[in-house]
Amino acid sequence: MSRARHLRTGAIGALALLLVAGTAQGASAMPGVRAEATDGCEPTALEQFFGIDGCDDPATPEPTGEPTASPDPEATPTPAPTDAPATPDSGEPDAEPEASPAPKPAAPKTPVLAPLDEGAPVFTGDPATLSGDTLAIEGLSGLAIVSVRLADGSTERAIRLKADRIVIDGFRLDVPAGDGGLRNTATTLTVDGNVVVYTPSITGILEDGTKRLIDTLTTPTADELAGLTRLTLPLRGMVADSIVYDDSHQATF
């Protein structure tokens, strides 16, 4: 009985030693077999003895290297706008812009022809100055630019006005003589029948207050004369069938 207990105890000790030695020897001497069995999910005898399942899921391998970060759509750089290509520098200075041409001056008026009036009298001395507040012309029959003779043998351009009747209110006539002259005034001057007036120019004021000059460069019109007030003209001469002064006065100056 005692011998059998010793044999059993020795067998158990031998088995434990065998398991320990076998485990150590298998781990050191047969690594390839253990790896093949593990890779094929076949448990070893030792794993079967201890009830170890050799086909457990293998551990998830750790990732190698640095993890790759997912691209951030917001971090994607926006390409900078492409600048317009620069104009190549030719090395020459920029040309200055052409200056606008200066406006051409208005062409001078060409005076109308002034034929000699053979029927006009020869005028002497400086012309008298006629002025008035209003001018009324009735039966206007002609306006023309003519030449008249002067006492010194020269000629002068003049406006020749022909009408049936001329009425001037606020009439005044200054006739120069030496250092002074003779001034004739009247409330109204009325000239009737075959009236002809010769003057180098007529100056007047229009209804809007604008000053207007009618000269001998161009032939005046009836409308131009009718719109004048407070007229003044150098009078070379005036002929008519009758000349009447209302409330006339004469004085020297």
Side-chain angles (χ1 to χ4, degrees):
M1 183 70 177
S2 175
R3 181 179 176 78
R5 182 180 302 121
H6 286 296
L7 290 174
R8 190 180 307 123
T9 303
I12 294 172
L15 178 60
L17 179 61
L18 176 63
L19 291 176
V20 173
T23 302
Q25 183 179 2
S28 60
M30 301 179 64
V33 176
R34 178 72 178 83
E36 290 177 1
T38 303
D39 292 342
C41 293
E42 293 293 335
T44 64
L46 185 60
E47 290 173 342
Q48 291 179 0
F49 180 81
F50 285 105
I52 299 173
D53 186 4
C55 293
D56 291 338
D57 293 336
T60 302
E62 296 181 359
T64 59
E66 295 294 333
T68 303
S70 300
D72 187 358
E74 296 181 358
T76 303
T78 303
T82 304
D83 296 334
T87 303
D89 187 2
S90 61
E92 298 180 359
D94 296 338
E96 296 183 358
E98 295 183 1
S100 301
K104 295 182 179 179
K109 293 182 180 180
T110 302
V112 297
L113 295 177
L116 181 64
D117 187 346
E118 298 290 351
V122 176
F123 299 105
T124 62
D126 295 329
T129 300
L130 184 153
S131 60
D133 295 334
T134 62
L135 171 66
I137 301 175
E138 299 177 11
L140 181 64
S141 58
L143 278 171
I145 304 300
V146 298
S147 294
V148 295
R149 293 186 179 94
L150 301 181
D152 60 4
S154 64
T155 60
E156 181 183 73
R157 294 171 65 92
I159 299 171
R160 184 183 65 191
L161 184 153
K162 292 183 177 182
D164 293 336
R165 181 184 176 96
I166 294 178
V167 178
I168 300 175
D169 291 334
F171 170 79
R172 186 174 106 173
L173 182 66
D174 291 337
V175 181
D179 294 335
L182 178 66
R183 175 170 297 160
N184 190 358
T185 61
T187 304
T188 303
L189 169 68
T190 303
V191 184
D192 265 326
N194 299 312
V195 180
V196 181
V197 177
Y198 295 92
T199 177
S201 64
I202 302 174
T203 302
I205 305 298
L206 300 176
E207 292 182 356
D208 61 359
T210 304
K211 186 176 181 180
R212 176 66 184 273
L213 171 66
I214 300 175
D215 55 25
T216 59
L217 295 180
T218 59
T219 305
T221 64
D223 291 338
E224 291 176 329
L225 293 177
L228 295 179
T229 60
R230 297 178 57 186
L231 72 153
T232 302
L233 56 94
L235 183 63
R236 272 296 178 187
M238 181 170 56
V239 295
D241 293 342
S242 67
I243 299 177
V244 178
Y245 299 89
D246 291 339
D247 195 13
S248 176
H249 296 277
Q250 291 185 349
T252 59
F253 61 91

